[in-house]
Amino acid sequence: MSTAYELSMELCSYIRHHQPEPEEVTERWRRVFEAVLIRERFTRHAIDYMWEHLAQGNWEHMHQTDEEQGRSADDWLEAFEADVFYCSDRYTLDRLTRCHWLWRQWTWQLRKGEE
C-alpha cells in the first residue's frame, strides 16, 4: 500500500504534467485522503463520512473571501496542488481539512462553470 506522501506526489505530478480530468483528480485525491485517515486509524465508515462532510463550509471562516470569489477553477486547482505538495509529508487533520476545502472549492467552481 502506498503512503499518503507517495500518493500526494503522484497526484501533484498528474496535475502538473497532464490535462487534469476532474474524475481522475478526485480519484487520486480520494486515495490520498483515505491514506491519511487510515494512518490515523479511522474506520471505513468514518472515512466515508469525513469525505462527504469535511470542509462543507458550515462555518463563516470556511466561506470564500471576496478575493477568492473571483478565482477560476484553474486557480483553485493550482492552490489545491500547492497545498497537497506542501502537506504531503506532514499531514494533520487540520492540513487535510485545508486541502479538502481547496478541492471542494475547485469542484464547486467547475460545477458553477457548467451552469
Side-chain angles (χ1 to χ4, degrees):
M1 178 183 238
S2 298
T3 66
Y5 174 78
E6 293 166 333
L7 293 168
S8 295
M9 292 300 96
E10 290 173 10
L11 170 59
C12 291
S13 179
Y14 173 75
I15 292 171
R16 289 179 188 163
H17 302 295
H18 295 85
Q19 186 64 30
E21 294 292 328
E23 297 82 16
E24 184 69 19
V25 171
T26 296
E27 285 177 28
R28 288 171 183 261
W29 172 238
R30 177 72 189 234
R31 289 194 293 265
V32 173
F33 187 91
E34 289 180 357
V36 172
L37 295 178
I38 287 168
R39 183 193 71 205
E40 299 302 325
R41 304 193 192 290
F42 279 68
T43 65
R44 169 60 48 202
H45 176 76
I47 291 168
D48 291 343
Y49 182 85
M50 296 284 280
W51 177 260
E52 292 300 323
H53 300 285
L54 187 66
Q56 282 284 7
N58 191 14
W59 182 43
E60 181 179 347
H61 292 289
M62 286 192 164
H63 291 272
Q64 294 179 7
T65 64
D66 290 340
E67 181 270 327
E68 289 170 335
Q69 289 180 10
R71 287 185 180 176
S72 68
D74 289 342
D75 294 335
W76 284 114
L77 184 60
E78 183 179 324
F80 169 68
E81 185 274 329
D83 245 22
V84 168
F85 184 84
Y86 173 78
C87 294
S88 63
D89 64 345
R90 57 179 67 89
Y91 279 109
T92 62
L93 193 52
D94 283 344
R95 289 183 175 131
L96 184 69
T97 301
R98 186 170 78 199
C99 290
H100 203 56
W101 184 83
L102 287 166
W103 172 79
R104 285 192 184 285
Q105 302 317 299
W106 173 64
T107 60
W108 287 335
Q109 188 63 40
L110 287 175
R111 283 194 299 267
K112 185 176 159 185
E114 292 174 357
E115 295 174 355

